[in-house]
Amino acid sequence: MQLKKGSVLAQISLLFFICSFTTSSSAQMITGVWKGKINKKKAEVKLIQKGDSLVGTCYYYESETNYRRYSIRGYINPDTHEGIWWDDQLLEEKTGKFSLNTPGKIPYLSSADFNCPGSDKMFLDGDAALKNKKESIQGPVHLEKTNETLFPDEWDFIIENYTAGANDPYYIDSVSSIASIPVMVPVEKTIQQKESTLPIEDKETVKVNNRPIERSETVKVIPSPKTVAKQLTVKKTIEEEFKIREKIIATDIPITGDSIELRFYDNAEIDGDSISLFLNNKLIFQHIRLTAAAYTIKLPVNELNENNELVMVAENLGSIPPNTSYMLAIVDNKRYEAMLKSTEETSAVIRLTKRNP
């Protein structure tokens, strides 16, 4: 069958539109389930984009019963538009009955470009390096986007409903706080430790062999998921972190004129650092990802107090702690520089004090 020239051009235009639309909607493009290999190891990666940052989970596996699961963090490189993520924390390890070991023993840092060769195929192709040694390339990354998963988990809801409102940072952060909790591996106990009298408050919720347990019976009690969840530490909000962290003064800047301009850069290697800014105890900017390009804010002087405190709070420490920022302040055509450092225990303070012209 011979296609008309106009029909061929129409198909090419449609394909160009699909890839262009997907590229412009980068969050929708990279958010999803990706399956393939990382350094020749079978992997299933669930990537969720939040602003310029990436979160999610990665499974290195031999089978559905033999795998290691990591939480992952990363970002979109604004210059190359490639996705960069690393295995942040080992959450779960499961070994099959007939397997000698479980894949994914070494955490990686992966960098991959989006590739849309045509039809409905989408790929991420790049390289995997050691997590703490970026220049040490270990092998290739080749992942294909899929609608199926071998490992159902908490991120499936966000992925399935991403374009229907689940891309809201509030929902992503909520799932992240749950999905980043390591799975508790049961520890074999002695017979004396296993046997205990059931507490009265648990009587209604626990059954043994499908029958209610009487309060006077001695049974082997397995903690319920709710009981375990109560014992786990809940991830703090950035406002709570702001209140409890020690505030260390980094610099004092006199302010005059109509406005001040503040530019924030990553002071070290670009590794996914992100920060929040508080002005006089109020959150004014959140999820600022530090890169080689400036993140610029302007503050009108007439809305400031005589004495002000601008506090930089680290949302994460990137892959190379601590979270460091180079700040350039431009006040009435004068330039002020400062190196800011924030950790899980401290925040950096910039004092802004009005001066008479």
Side-chain angles (χ1 to χ4, degrees):
M1 178 178 178
Q2 187 174 5
L3 294 174
K4 294 182 179 179
K5 183 177 179 181
S7 176
V8 174
L9 290 174
Q11 292 185 28
I12 293 174
S13 298
L14 177 61
L15 177 60
F16 176 79
F17 171 78
I18 292 173
C19 287
S20 298
F21 175 78
T22 308
T23 302
S24 63
S25 304
S26 60
Q28 183 178 347
M29 174 185 71
I30 200 168
T31 296
V33 181
W34 300 84
K35 194 176 297 184
K37 291 188 176 181
I38 296 177
N39 189 23
K40 301 180 181 179
K41 297 174 178 61
K42 288 195 291 186
E44 179 174 300
V45 183
K46 297 182 182 181
L47 291 171
I48 293 86
Q49 185 169 348
K50 185 186 74 172
D52 292 331
S53 300
L54 294 174
V55 293
T57 189
C58 177
Y59 296 84
Y60 299 97
Y61 66 96
E62 286 185 356
S63 67
E64 294 179 59
T65 58
N66 185 20
Y67 61 87
R68 277 190 176 91
R69 177 190 181 192
Y70 287 87
S71 63
I72 58 177
R73 293 188 178 277
Y75 60 96
I76 302 296
N77 188 313
D79 299 320
T80 63
H81 302 291
E82 64 180 346
I84 300 172
W85 69 90
W86 53 89
D87 301 323
D88 188 51
Q89 182 182 9
L90 180 62
L91 300 178
E92 185 180 7
E93 181 177 352
K94 192 170 185 180
T95 305
K97 292 183 179 179
F98 305 104
S99 301
L100 297 178
N101 54 39
T102 305
K105 189 174 183 179
I106 300 174
Y108 291 114
L109 183 148
S110 298
S111 303
D113 289 317
F114 179 78
N115 182 13
C116 177
S119 184
D120 58 349
K121 298 288 186 181
M122 299 182 190
F123 298 98
L124 286 173
D125 294 301
D127 296 305
L130 295 179
K131 176 184 175 182
N132 298 319
K133 202 172 183 181
K134 297 181 180 181
E135 68 278 5
S136 176
I137 302 299
Q138 300 297 297
V141 172
H142 182 70
L143 302 169
E144 181 177 358
K145 197 170 189 180
T146 177
N147 293 323
E148 300 178 352
T149 176
L150 281 175
F151 306 98
D153 61 28
E154 301 87 348
W155 287 115
D156 294 339
F157 171 82
I158 296 294
I159 292 172
E160 292 170 6
N161 299 277
Y162 191 80
T163 57
N167 58 348
D168 190 303
Y170 172 80
Y171 297 120
I172 295 175
D173 289 341
S174 298
V175 172
S176 182
S177 65
I178 299 171
S180 60
I181 298 174
V183 174
M184 300 182 67
V185 180
V187 179
E188 188 63 28
K189 297 182 179 180
T190 64
I191 295 176
Q192 290 82 0
Q193 289 174 315
K194 289 181 180 179
E195 294 181 348
S196 63
T197 301
L198 181 70
I200 294 175
E201 58 269 23
D202 285 344
K203 185 181 70 173
E204 295 80 10
T205 60
V206 181
K207 292 183 178 181
V208 174
N209 296 329
N210 293 322
R211 68 180 181 86
I213 299 171
E214 300 297 334
R215 76 176 68 178
S216 59
E217 294 182 17
T218 299
V219 297
K220 298 176 182 180
V221 179
I222 301 175
S224 67
K226 288 184 178 180
T227 302
V228 174
K230 289 179 182 178
Q231 299 172 352
L232 296 173
T233 302
V234 179
K235 186 176 180 180
K236 297 181 178 64
T237 65
I238 197 65
E239 289 88 349
E240 291 171 329
E241 295 287 2
F242 167 76
K243 291 178 181 178
I244 64 175
R245 292 184 187 179
E246 180 185 1
K247 297 172 180 62
I248 299 177
I249 298 173
T251 187
D252 289 87
I253 298 177
I255 54 175
T256 57
D258 296 327
S259 66
I260 62 174
E261 182 175 310
L262 302 172
R263 301 174 185 175
F264 294 88
Y265 307 79
D266 196 320
N267 184 48
E269 186 173 352
I270 309 303
D271 62 341
D273 287 340
S274 63
I275 62 172
S276 288
L277 294 176
F278 288 77
L279 179 63
N280 297 331
N281 299 320
K282 292 183 179 180
L283 178 63
I284 57 171
F285 291 98
Q286 193 173 9
H287 308 315
I288 299 173
R289 192 176 69 81
L290 300 175
T291 68
Y295 185 95
T296 303
I297 66 172
K298 289 187 178 181
L299 301 175
V301 172
N302 62 357
E303 294 183 10
L304 296 176
N305 301 328
E306 292 297 319
N307 297 291
N308 308 269
E309 283 193 350
L310 182 68
V311 182
M312 184 191 88
V313 182
E315 295 180 348
N316 61 44
L317 302 183
S319 60
I320 309 174
N323 188 318
T324 53
S325 169
Y326 164 70
M327 186 193 74
L328 172 63
I330 301 176
V331 183
D332 209 11
N333 295 322
K334 295 181 181 179
R335 298 164 64 93
Y336 301 86
E337 299 179 5
M339 299 297 179
L340 311 177
K341 182 174 74 172
S342 182
T343 69
E344 292 179 343
E345 292 80 32
T346 64
S347 298
V349 178
I350 305 100
R351 284 180 172 171
L352 302 173
T353 305
K354 287 186 177 180
R355 299 283 177 85
N356 294 326

